[in-house]
Amino acid sequence: MQLIACPWCGPREEIEFSYGGQADVAYPEHPASLTDEQWAHFVFFRDNPKGPFAERWVHTAGCRRWFTAVRDTRTHRFLKEVPR
């Protein structure tokens, strides 16, 4: 079992957390003007790099707060957890 360091609760087992997707994805400025194809791209297309990647996580079984974590996608190791 992998430990994830919640910025508020400290290290906890990964089963207590839920993945929230890629961090820093901006909501469209004028959503009503987007085509279906543009909406599909916004909702479903995300970066998939090899290496460090900023992600959103929520401590669902604990404090229920969201935070941004940088995780290495090659090793699945968490490099940094930041409250935001």
Side-chain angles (χ1 to χ4, degrees):
M1 183 68 58
Q2 183 175 11
L3 292 179
I4 298 174
C6 173
W8 296 276
C9 303
R12 300 290 193 267
E13 292 185 1
E14 66 182 300
I15 197 157
E16 292 189 17
F17 297 87
S18 295
Y19 178 73
Q22 181 178 349
D24 302 320
V25 176
Y27 194 76
E29 194 170 316
H30 301 288
S33 67
L34 295 181
T35 66
D36 288 344
E37 184 176 344
Q38 291 169 320
W39 265 115
H41 193 289
F42 170 73
V43 172
F44 298 111
F45 289 71
R46 294 290 181 256
D47 295 337
N48 189 18
K50 183 186 267 189
F53 186 57
E55 304 170 326
R56 298 291 290 158
W57 287 82
V58 63
H59 191 181
T60 50
C63 64
R64 306 184 93 178
R65 295 172 92 178
W66 285 89
F67 61 94
T68 298
V70 177
R71 184 177 62 88
D72 189 325
T73 60
R74 292 173 293 199
T75 63
H76 299 292
R77 292 183 63 171
F78 283 78
L79 306 174
K80 180 170 67 169
E81 294 85 6
V82 180
R84 272 207 288 155

